[in-house]
Amino acid sequence: MTDLIKAKLAERGLTLPQAAAPVAAYVPAVQAGGLLHISGQLPFEDGALMTGRLGEDRDLDYGVRAAERCALMLVAQIEKALGDLGRVKRIVKLGVFVNSAASFTDQPKVANGASEMMQHLFGDAGRHARSAVGVPVLPLGAAVEVDAIVEIA
C-alpha cells in the first residue's frame, strides 16, 4: 500500500514529506484501540511553512494547496506511527482549521484540498466525515491546520 500511495503522489509530482516533529507539549499520534488520532498538521511547501490569512493576504487557491500539503503531512505521520500505510482501513474524520478573515466563508472549499487528497490516495477508504472551521489565527501564522482520526488494522 505504501508503494501504491507513493506512486499516486509521483503522478502528481509530489512526495511524502518527512513527518514533522511537535512544536509544543504533545505527541504527533496516539493509537487508542483501532483508531489512530493524528495531531493537527501544518502545511509546508518546498520546506517553508505556508502562512497567511485567507480572504486577507491569501486567496482560495493558496488555501486549497495548503490543505493538500497538510494532508501529505498527515499521511507522513500515519506512516511514521504505523510503519506501513497498508494498515489504514479508513480515514474516519478530518478536522480542518482555516486561518480566515471574518468575511471569508469558503472554508469548505479550502478543506476539499485535504479531503480530495485523502480520497485520491486511499480510494473509498479515504472518504471521511469532516469539519471545516474558520479561525482568526493558527500556530506560527499557518494558513491551514488539519488533524485526523484513522481506523487501523
Side-chain angles (χ1 to χ4, degrees), residues 126-147:
R127 295 178 52 84
H128 52 270
R130 182 183 84 191
S131 300
V133 180
V135 297
V137 67
L138 284 169
L140 307 174
V144 180
E145 180 177 357
V146 183
D147 63 16

Side-chain angles (χ1 to χ4, degrees), residues 29-141:
V30 172
Q31 184 176 336
L35 296 176
L36 184 67
H37 297 260
I38 306 293
S39 296
Q41 299 298 306
L42 302 180
F44 289 87
E45 186 171 61
D46 299 325
L49 179 63
M50 298 176 74
T51 61
R53 180 168 291 126
L54 281 285
E56 187 176 282
D57 60 348
R58 298 297 185 180
D59 64 14
L60 176 61
D61 289 339
Y62 185 88
V64 170
R65 205 166 70 249
E68 289 172 348
R69 296 315 186 270
C70 289
L72 294 179
M73 190 60 76
L74 285 167
V75 175
Q77 293 291 2
I78 294 167
E79 182 181 46
K80 183 176 181 183
L82 300 178
D84 178 12
L85 293 173
R87 292 188 56 201
V88 174
K89 290 176 71 175
R90 177 101 195 231
I91 305 299
V92 177
K93 184 171 185 195
L94 297 182
V96 181
F97 304 90
V98 181
N99 186 348
S100 305
S103 61
F104 186 81
T105 59
D106 283 334
Q107 290 84 2
K109 291 178 182 176
V110 170
N112 282 346
S115 292
E116 291 171 3
M117 181 63 73
M118 290 302 193
Q119 291 171 30
H120 174 71
L121 297 177
F122 294 100
D124 283 341
R127 295 178 52 84
H128 52 270
R130 182 183 84 191
S131 300
V133 180
V135 297
V137 67
L138 284 169
L140 307 174

